[in-house]
Amino acid sequence: MALKPDSYVVLNDGHKMPVLGFGTYAPDTYTKEQAGESAKVAIEVGYRHIDCASMYGNEVEVGQAIRSKIADGTVKREDIFYTGKLWNNNQAPERVRIGLEKTLKDLQLDYIDLFIIHTPMEFKPGDDPMPVDENGKVIFHNTDIRETWKAMEACKDAGLVRSIGVSNFNHKQLELILNMPGLKYKPVCDQVECHIYLNQSKLLEFCKSRDIVLVGYSVLGSSRVEGWIDQNSPKVLEDPVVNEVAKKLNRTPAQVAERYLLQRGIVVLAKSFTAKRIKENFQVFDFELSAEDMKRLDGVNKNLRYLSIEAWKEHPKYPYHEEY
Ligand code: NDP
């Protein structure tokens, strides 16, 4: 079926997720107010899926933006699909609901659509999102992720969140949850880095076989934040094949980069705090990549992960030691 601006995927719990989401993470060179203003622009141009997280420090502003677009009649609450994320300091079962309630309080909403475990790498439980030791090293913790998942299920049962899922999990970590005794709700999605240079074909196949949606982040090549991302890595939007295809179709590289994932059944997140690009990135429903172009784009994969978070490599649940 042809993709349209209001296309969605049906999640394994029956809820619907719009296929294109607006990303709200930005490095500190942007203000939190810009996140809110950009979220308003995004809703005005047609985005109905908004991806955020307590870790981004902007849920107050993004929540305010959503509520203002509801108040002015642009959208209704049920038109918006909001994703929040449980940060690494809140994975102890008794802290999961605390994390979600903080998100709801900041947003001033009474439920969110999706709550996902931000990463499998737990930190020391407590209010400090980055607990460090005397040497400045993050203090890791290692709760059985299945215990965290049970607490996530309880949040869904309490009506605070419609759907629950995970992020940055490898297939074995997903399997651990899928195979847990007494599983009540499967994760609806795994939100992971995904773009032409890391096309995630194996994880995608795994997810499809388990009715889990793969949601892709850094689709445009990420914000390339210094200290987190290798500044010498190749740029998605400068890739020669992407640019050739874009030129041929009279499209922009960003639109081709998004469309490549959408046509593979991946839900795409795209971040921009520039009005013109916010709009451009939503104009991806009136053209199609041919099978031949898709094949060419498959060919540029390099298994290149921008966000490999080497600093947390020693974590017992570091997800990227596995191939996928
Ligand atoms: P993206 O791949 O979406 O790229 C964002 C960068 O691309 C920004 O620098 C932006 O600049 C620029 N850009 C956007 N549109 C265009 C365009 N049309 N032409 C040229 N440049 C453009 O980055 P993210 O890594 O932020 O991923 C998107 C979202 O995914 C995040 O915002 C967040 O919501 C989520 N995410 C989740 C993670 C997780 O662990 N679960 C990890 C990382 C991201 P500008 O804003 O100035 O326009």
Side-chain angles (χ1 to χ4, degrees):
M1 206 176 64
L3 290 162
K4 297 184 292 178
D6 59 354
S7 287
Y8 54 80
V9 292
V10 179
L11 304 172
N12 63 34
D13 65 359
H15 292 296
K16 296 169 181 171
M17 176 192 276
V19 297
L20 178 56
F22 179 69
T24 61
Y25 168 74
D28 290 341
T29 46
Y30 294 85
T31 65
K32 305 304 176 196
E33 287 70 30
Q34 276 175 288
E37 287 310 310
S38 304
K40 281 188 205 165
V41 175
I43 293 171
E44 280 157 16
V45 307
Y47 293 80
R48 294 293 176 264
H49 173 168
I50 295 176
D51 184 79
C52 199
S54 60
M55 189 51 193
Y56 303 166
N58 56 13
E59 286 192 306
V60 167
E61 291 78 7
V62 173
Q64 197 273 331
I66 294 171
R67 285 181 292 105
S68 82
K69 287 287 119 192
I70 295 171
D72 75 7
T74 309
V75 285
K76 298 195 193 72
R77 173 65 187 92
E78 57 268 31
D79 299 330
I80 296 289
F81 186 97
Y82 182 93
T83 301
K85 307 191 185 89
L86 179 79
W87 185 241
N88 301 350
N89 61 323
N90 283 329
Q91 284 185 21
E94 68 280 7
R95 291 203 58 92
V96 170
R97 187 157 169 162
I98 295 173
L100 176 55
E101 283 176 347
K102 167 84 167 72
T103 277
L104 293 171
K105 187 165 170 259
D106 285 349
L107 293 167
Q108 295 188 41
L109 295 177
D110 48 19
Y111 73 92
I112 58 173
D113 299 275
L114 174 63
F115 194 46
I116 61 184
I117 302 176
H118 203 146
T119 90
M121 295 172 280
E122 190 190 6
F123 295 168
K124 182 185 163 202
D127 289 330
D128 185 353
M130 266 314 159
V132 290
D133 65 15
E134 58 281 5
N135 303 314
K137 279 186 80 175
V138 177
I139 308 169
F140 298 147
H141 208 250
N142 196 10
T143 297
D144 185 334
I145 201 73
R146 294 170 292 190
E147 295 302 317
T148 308
W149 190 253
K150 281 188 208 153
M152 295 286 285
E153 292 180 328
C155 291
K156 178 169 155 101
D157 282 336
L160 300 177
V161 52
R162 297 270 149 96
S163 299
I164 51 176
V166 300
S167 177
N168 298 306
F169 275 42
N170 64 40
H171 82 284
K172 288 203 173 149
Q173 293 168 328
L174 275 174
E175 223 156 31
L176 195 63
I177 293 182
L178 293 172
N179 294 337
M180 70 186 250
L183 176 73
K184 197 163 180 189
Y185 306 116
K186 283 166 61 161
V188 297
C189 70
D190 192 3
Q191 183 185 124
V192 295
E193 181 176 332
C194 187
H195 43 75
I196 53 157
Y197 292 147
L198 181 71
N199 76 19
Q200 296 280 20
S201 55
K202 288 189 180 169
L203 186 62
L204 178 64
E205 196 181 324
F206 176 85
C207 284
K208 283 186 174 172
S209 74
R210 304 296 196 283
D211 198 12
I212 292 169
V213 171
L214 194 149
V215 179
Y217 70 72
S218 298
V219 171
L220 308 176
S222 91
S223 292
R224 301 179 70 88
V225 185
E226 263 184 73
W228 288 97
I229 286 158
D230 175 6
Q231 300 298 301
N232 296 316
S233 53
K235 296 180 176 170
V236 163
L237 301 184
E238 290 179 4
D239 179 80
V241 175
V242 170
N243 279 271
E244 268 174 48
V245 172
K247 201 166 174 204
K248 183 179 74 178
L249 299 174
N250 205 14
R251 289 287 163 170
T252 67
Q255 291 167 336
V256 170
E258 291 176 51
R259 190 74 207 188
Y260 169 64
L261 299 198
L262 289 170
Q263 285 185 211
R264 293 165 62 222
I266 295 166
V267 168
V268 165
L269 301 179
K271 177 265 173 183
S272 174
F273 286 1
T274 314
K276 187 172 160 281
R277 291 169 171 178
I278 296 173
K279 194 167 177 190
E280 170 190 326
N281 298 346
F282 197 73
Q283 314 285 308
V284 290
F285 300 104
D286 56 349
F287 76 106
E288 207 172 334
L289 300 174
S290 65
E292 192 194 326
D293 287 338
M294 290 295 290
K295 212 166 157 196
R296 285 190 72 200
L297 289 162
D298 283 338
V300 305
N301 181 49
K302 306 180 200 290
N303 293 326
L304 176 122
R305 191 183 295 282
Y306 289 115
L307 199 58
S308 55
I309 347 182
E310 305 279 323
W312 304 348
K313 227 174 181 161
E314 305 303 320
H315 196 290
K317 294 203 189 88
Y318 181 79
Y320 310 132
H321 297 308
E322 281 298 322
E323 185 196 353
Y324 68 98

